[in-house]
Amino acid sequence: MHRTVISDGVLTGEIDGEIVWGQNKADLVEKFAITKDIDLENSFGYSNGGADRSMLELLGHPVAVNPDRDLAAASADNGWARLRFERRGGNLYHLARTLLGLLAVIGASGAAMLCSMGRDRRTLRNRLLRWVPTTALRCAGLRIRVSGPQTARTVRPAIFVFNHQSKSDALIIPISWVTPPPPWSPGKR
């Protein structure tokens, strides 16, 4: 299992240990289940890639989500559940929502700048990071609910992992930066 390297209390961004991938992931899931007395037959697992086939084979409820070719074949062969989420089409409604989101970014940026005139740069930055993504997400019809707001606002080290398949991450990540210290937010390439 790999861990992030911490030097003098600061995350360096370096990785220590082996990358959890393929059979390594399956082995670690099995080891974790044994140490925590977890019944894998009653456990669910979700993946979109064939590299996770061995991990999914351990579970009683494997689910292929938007599977690649290898995982689609494995899920068909094994009778696993499959979830498919399609991209929304380019109809007029979606085009209008995207345009509204873009206008919201421009309008919220302008409002943050006007309301921050004569103030320090931190005030402007915080307003931009809070107002722009919140306004754009609301105009796009997305709402973010925080479970345990006391935890979200606590000064703490935090790591957020974002799904590389979501276009909304670029709007969600800045919201988390407003609460100091800024979290470390790795993503997959």
Side-chain angles (χ1 to χ4, degrees):
M1 181 177 216
H2 67 278
R3 297 187 189 328
T4 55
V5 175
I6 300 174
S7 176
D8 297 323
V10 176
L11 289 167
T12 66
E14 300 294 317
I15 301 293
D16 180 26
E18 61 186 298
I19 301 297
V20 180
W21 185 260
Q23 186 60 45
N24 285 342
K25 186 184 287 188
D27 294 343
L28 285 171
V29 166
E30 193 167 34
K31 182 178 176 181
F32 181 81
I34 290 168
T35 61
K36 300 295 183 183
D37 196 30
I38 296 171
D39 179 8
L40 291 177
E41 189 57 36
N42 287 316
S43 296
F44 289 78
Y46 302 84
S47 179
N48 68 340
D52 289 334
R53 179 180 180 158
S54 55
M55 180 218 30
L56 292 174
E57 288 172 341
L58 295 171
L59 307 170
H61 304 282
V63 181
V65 181
N66 286 349
D68 64 13
R69 186 174 296 144
D70 293 339
L71 189 58
S75 66
D77 292 346
N78 293 294
W80 296 342
R82 286 180 17 177
L83 297 174
R84 175 138 328 260
F85 300 98
E86 301 297 331
R87 290 181 162 229
R88 293 189 257 209
N91 64 32
L92 190 56
Y93 170 74
H94 293 115
L95 181 62
R97 243 178 47 171
T98 300
L99 182 58
L100 184 60
L102 178 61
L103 292 173
V105 167
I106 294 167
S109 298
M113 287 184 213
L114 284 173
C115 291
S116 300
M117 289 177 68
R119 302 203 177 193
D120 61 28
R121 295 177 85 184
R122 177 179 282 184
T123 300
L124 172 60
R125 183 202 67 167
N126 286 345
R127 285 183 175 158
L128 284 170
L129 290 174
R130 187 176 301 126
W131 294 3
V132 171
T134 300
T135 305
L137 288 169
R138 286 195 177 152
C139 287
L142 299 172
R143 302 285 186 265
I144 297 175
R145 283 187 230 130
V146 176
S147 298
Q150 69 283 357
T151 304
R153 296 292 179 206
T154 301
V155 174
R156 81 288 182 208
I159 298 174
F160 297 90
V161 179
F162 296 94
N163 183 337
H164 66 286
Q165 295 178 349
S166 172
K167 305 286 188 280
S168 301
D169 290 348
L171 295 171
I172 295 169
I173 292 170
I175 294 171
S176 66
W177 289 345
V178 176
T179 304
W184 184 59
S185 303
K188 294 182 355 183
R189 286 202 274 171

